Amino acid sequence: MSELLKQIGETTNNAGARLGDTILEARDLHVIFGTGVRAVDGINLKIYRGETLGVVGESGCGKSTLGRTLCMLEAPTGGSVALNGLPISDMKGSSLREARKSLQMVFQDPYSSLDPRQRAGEIIGEPLLLAGVDKKQRQSRVNELLDLVSIGASGYAKFPREFSGGQRQRIGIARSLAANPEIIICDEPVSALDVSVQAQIVNLLVSLQRKLNLTYVFISHDLAVVRQMADRVAVMYLGRIVELADADKIFAAPRHPYTAALLSAVPRMPTSSAKRKPISLPGDPPSPMHLPPGCRFQARCWLRQKLGSPDVCSAVDPMLSGTGDHQAACHFQEHVDAQRGAQNA
Amino acid sequence: MTIVPSIQRRGVSLLPTSIRSKPGLAVAIAFLVLIVVVAASASFLPYDAYRQDLLHRNSPPSWNHILGTDELGRDMLARLAIGARVSLVVAVTSTVAAVLIGIAVGAIAGYKRGWIDSVCMRFVDSMYAFPDTLFAILIAGVVKGQLSQSSTDFFSPITALYKMSGGLFGVFLTLSFTSWLVCARIVRAEVIILRSAEYVAAARLAGASDLFVMRRHILPNCLPVIIVAATFVVPSAILLEAGLSFLGVGVDPPTPSWGAMIASGVRSMQSYPHLLITPAIAVGLTLLSINVVGDALREHFDPSFRRGGEAS
Ligand SMILES: Nc1ncnc2c1ncn2[C@@H]1O[C@H](COP(=O)(O)OP(=O)(O)OP(=O)(O)O)[C@@H](O)[C@H]1O
Ligand code: SF4
Ligand SMILES: [Mg+2]
């Protein structure tokens, strides 16, 4: 992991949010599945042009569902999504297809993300085919894209099975770029890959972002990768964003006990202050169908324990609050940073 | 993960290698080829399947009649050959029809889900509740009753077709109507898995319509399970045809079919066992061979291998 950090570290630096205008906005987004699972449970989020927003959280907290809903692969059961000001969550059929052209996704599974029966050239050219680009132009554009992701034109006629996991991911990235998107939602694009390959893909994404002026939503459960990629970070817990801040702020001084616990669990994470003992997260998250009243983190919250279980935690559901560039959903967010040092006494 | 490439690469050279390692498969294929050749060359055999020779009734196998003659003195080999033609043609055509219906219903139900899926699958389930054979007999009886009457309404071309085919068309309809259920289920299950594949999501994000996704991604990837479904349907169609003809709701006499031959063989089983044994062996060996070949195809295309690979 430390090697990965070093490799990535050379190509990126957290320049802070390069705030442009809002490109994608979610308002009070809800996704409740037929099973009763509240996978996304009231999310408000603005994504600014040119930035990388990291989305982190435990498995099952709704990261993928959020990503899929932002591009309307999953219909929200409540709330709205606007892309460049257009309410894509109200659209259907061909108008939706037209409106979300500038939105693409890179997927986690390098196996199921490419049709095994198609050649790399056909896969990458599919968005062009759908956009009505003629064959000749399509071929030259695909070759261009193959070069861009360092596969090279020799990969054109090969089938997905002939590529390694990392190469497949490059092909998936090339496909997502084919139609010149403005924003790409990357759902754990490197977590299925070997660590050595992860760094290459992350570097590719970063250099593409610079070259093509892309906006990323970068979903991951790997804080180390997010720290290197992201300008801002959203921490998700049970379908909610519990902390949202500039990357350097969140890593230096988290304002939600859950984030603090996640950070302490990352081995050899270079932190600003002295070494801390890892904070344990007892138990599993509660069922996303039956949430307790009050704070959804209360059953596992070390800070609440420390503060002698104040009533407000089990009575009032904390909303995101704080300053513009650092918000957390915790009634005692100003205590988090100070208390985490003295944890696990 | 490495299973995916190996399975798919095998696709090109499937049969040669598997045959070399499996003598049983080779024998089965050879037998099926033989049956097909015999069926195709039935018209060139020395005896006519319909010519009666009342002086030589029920004669046992001899040099003149290699498989003997039946109760009307007709040559058994000739009848068996025509019977093979009838059985195979009916089984294959009704399998094709059943598979097409199954693909249509299964693909729509599995892709659309929701109430369309519920309606389709409730229907399929309730059809399933009938025992296969009973259901076939029921349909066959109705079909036969309807079609053999001289009708003047819009059924008349179908009736004509039915009569012209010596009852074959009725069997075809019956088999198609009963056999598509399996196929619909198998295809639906596969479509449900495939539609959530990430490459389908990518296509939809790039602006693909349902039709495009279906044609370009889902149906081609369903091909293995469709072949698997067909390997189930063909033998059961042969068996059903034999059963229907045996019960007298299949092919009309004097058209020979294996089932009809078995039926008449049973009647004189005690005195002239060859009348029963010959067609029974023909049906048995054919079914066995088809099952052996079907097993090999299934093993080759088994979606569970592929899925195991993709899931990782
Ligand atoms: N199609 C679906 N139908 C029903 N429940 C679903 C569906 N998709 C996801 N879920 C449930 O919604 C919750 C959030 O799932 P999601 O895949 O968004 O989590 P995630 O944060 O991406 O997890 P991971 O890190 O494992 O990818 C989970 O409890 C999951 O079981
Ligand atoms: S509100 Fe209370 S229970 Fe919730 S995270 Fe803050 S301290 Fe913990
Ligand atoms: Mg996920």
Side-chain angles (χ1 to χ4, degrees):
Chain A
M1 190 53 75
S2 60
E3 196 186 339
L4 168 66
L5 285 179
K6 244 184 285 158
Q7 287 180 45
I8 302 170
E10 281 159 16
T11 60
T12 50
N13 59 334
N14 293 329
R18 294 158 282 177
L19 296 190
D21 53 336
T22 304
I23 179 166
L24 192 63
E25 179 171 8
R27 284 217 187 115
D28 197 26
L29 204 60
H30 288 264
V31 179
I32 305 174
F33 286 114
T35 50
V37 173
R38 308 170 78 88
V40 172
D41 195 17
I43 282 186
N44 288 291
L45 192 59
K46 276 184 178 175
I47 295 151
Y48 302 109
R49 193 176 302 283
E51 76 166 341
T52 297
L53 174 75
V55 177
V56 298
E58 282 167 301
S59 179
C61 69
K63 306 182 294 294
S64 296
T65 309
L66 174 64
R68 294 172 59 86
T69 312
L70 286 177
C71 52
M72 287 300 119
L73 281 174
E74 200 79 66
T77 49
S80 65
V81 178
L83 174 63
N84 285 321
L86 287 172
I88 56 173
S89 51
D90 296 340
M91 296 180 173
K92 273 198 171 121
S94 54
S95 60
L96 172 61
R97 274 182 241 147
E98 188 59 33
R100 73 171 169 199
K101 266 186 180 159
S102 50
L103 189 57
Q104 287 295 317
M105 238 178 130
V106 172
F107 298 92
Q108 171 173 13
D109 184 348
Y111 289 84
S112 120
S113 61
L114 308 180
D115 188 337
R117 290 183 176 261
Q118 293 191 312
R119 297 168 191 279
E122 297 172 288
I123 292 172
I124 298 171
E126 185 173 272
L128 301 167
L129 175 74
L130 286 163
V133 178
D134 71 45
K135 193 165 178 197
K136 204 145 181 212
Q137 279 181 306
R138 220 156 62 213
Q139 272 171 353
S140 69
R141 173 85 175 122
V142 168
N143 281 327
E144 219 176 278
L145 289 161
L146 280 166
D147 280 339
L148 196 61
V149 298
S150 315
I151 292 279
S154 63
Y156 193 100
K158 288 191 191 162
F159 284 100
R161 58 171 184 263
E162 298 173 65
F163 295 101
S164 69
Q167 287 174 317
R168 282 160 166 259
Q169 210 54 311
R170 287 173 192 270
I171 291 170
I173 291 169
R175 170 180 58 195
S176 77
L177 294 174
N180 285 319
E182 298 170 73
I183 173 164
I184 300 182
I185 295 172
C186 309
D187 187 358
E188 313 222 19
V190 299
S191 38
L193 306 175
D194 289 345
V195 171
S196 57
V197 183
Q198 285 187 357
Q200 297 168 9
I201 298 297
V202 166
N203 287 341
L204 175 66
L205 286 171
V206 169
S207 76
L208 288 172
Q209 181 172 40
R210 292 207 182 122
K211 244 183 255 177
L212 305 172
N213 203 9
L214 295 167
T215 307
Y216 286 146
V217 175
F218 189 90
I219 298 172
S220 178
H221 58 246
D222 186 340
L223 284 167
V225 176
V226 168
R227 185 186 178 116
Q228 301 303 322
M229 282 284 295
D231 303 307
R232 285 194 307 149
V233 176
V235 180
M236 277 186 77
Y237 187 75
L238 282 180
R240 280 270 176 89
I241 292 178
V242 293
E243 186 162 3
L244 178 63
D246 288 353
D248 36 8
K249 293 211 165 104
I250 219 167
F251 285 103
R255 292 179 72 94
H256 195 284
Y258 177 63
T259 314
L262 286 183
L263 287 179
S264 74
V266 177
R268 273 182 266 162
M269 172 73 88
T271 42
S272 53
S273 48
K275 262 192 198 167
R276 293 192 172 88
K277 277 189 196 159
I279 303 170
S280 63
L281 268 181
D284 292 321
S287 150
M289 291 180 227
H290 311 286
L291 291 173
C295 178
R296 56 191 63 209
F297 187 56
Q298 59 182 282
R300 301 166 81 194
C301 183
W302 56 268
L303 183 60
R304 171 169 174 261
Q305 240 173 16
K306 216 160 196 189
L307 298 174
S309 302
D311 292 339
V312 64
C313 291
S314 49
V316 183
D317 189 3
M319 294 291 131
L320 266 186
S321 63
T323 56
D325 56 3
H326 198 157
Q327 299 178 297
C330 171
H331 298 304
F332 302 98
Q333 51 179 289
E334 59 284 355
H335 298 289
V336 174
D337 195 35
Q339 294 285 356
R340 67 181 177 141
Q343 236 300 295
N344 277 5
Chain B
M1 288 186 178
T2 51
I3 295 172
V4 180
S6 67
I7 291 263
Q8 277 163 359
R9 211 165 290 143
R10 256 165 59 196
V12 192
S13 60
L14 149 75
L15 288 175
T17 38
S18 353
I19 286 177
R20 252 176 272 134
S21 60
K22 288 177 196 156
L25 181 60
V27 172
I29 290 176
F31 182 78
L32 290 179
V33 169
L34 176 75
I35 291 284
V36 169
V37 168
V38 167
S41 61
S43 323
F44 304 110
L45 290 174
Y47 291 98
D48 180 345
Y50 299 98
R51 209 195 69 202
Q52 305 183 0
D53 180 357
L54 297 179
L55 293 179
H56 297 99
R57 291 164 47 193
N58 298 322
S59 54
S62 66
W63 281 117
N64 275 344
H65 299 283
I66 296 177
L67 295 177
T69 60
D70 71 0
E71 71 275 10
L72 294 174
R74 296 174 295 198
D75 182 58
M76 282 293 280
L77 177 60
R79 288 188 70 72
L80 208 60
I82 298 281
R85 191 188 278 181
V86 169
S87 291
L88 294 184
V89 165
V90 168
V92 169
T93 52
S94 56
T95 299
V96 169
V99 164
L100 289 180
I101 301 175
I103 291 175
V105 174
I108 291 173
Y111 190 78
K112 285 285 176 190
R113 305 304 305 268
W115 66 269
I116 297 183
D117 186 30
S118 310
V119 170
C120 290
M121 286 304 119
R122 279 305 125 69
F123 181 67
V124 168
D125 288 343
S126 56
M127 301 270 277
Y128 246 98
F130 284 96
D132 234 21
T133 343
L134 193 67
F135 188 60
I137 294 168
L138 210 79
I139 297 189
V142 171
V143 166
K144 220 176 166 67
Q146 283 294 323
L147 295 187
S148 49
Q149 289 160 13
S150 53
S151 57
T152 49
D153 51 14
F154 75 91
F155 277 123
S156 54
I158 304 182
T159 315
L161 199 59
Y162 176 81
K163 288 195 170 135
M164 214 169 67
S165 66
L168 271 187
F169 189 66
V171 177
F172 163 78
L173 284 184
T174 308
L175 291 181
S176 323
F177 274 131
T178 45
S179 305
W180 67 271
L181 301 171
V182 197
C183 190
R185 274 195 171 171
I186 294 180
V187 170
R188 172 180 173 269
E190 184 71 3
V191 169
I192 288 177
I193 293 168
L194 290 175
R195 72 197 274 277
S196 62
E198 289 174 344
Y199 55 79
V200 169
R204 283 171 54 199
L205 268 186
S209 61
D210 289 349
L211 202 65
F212 181 96
V213 167
M214 199 57 119
R215 273 214 322 257
R216 187 170 158 112
H217 295 297
I218 295 192
L219 287 181
N221 281 295
C222 270
L223 199 63
V225 297
I226 290 170
I227 289 171
V228 168
T231 66
F232 287 118
V233 174
V234 170
S236 83
I238 290 183
L239 199 61
L240 267 182
E241 183 278 321
L244 291 178
S245 300
F246 179 86
L247 294 168
V249 284
V251 178
D252 291 327
T255 312
S257 96
W258 290 350
M261 291 172 75
I262 291 177
S264 60
V266 166
R267 267 176 251 132
S268 46
M269 185 166 77
Q270 304 287 336
S271 4
Y272 308 108
H274 73 276
L275 293 188
L276 173 61
I277 292 172
T278 324
I281 288 181
V283 173
L285 285 183
T286 304
L287 288 181
L288 187 66
S289 305
I290 292 178
N291 279 327
V292 169
V293 175
D295 273 346
L297 282 173
R298 277 194 289 278
E299 196 178 306
H300 175 70
F301 283 118
D302 190 343
S304 65
F305 278 125
R306 195 163 37 88
R307 218 166 281 149
E310 273 176 5
S312 51

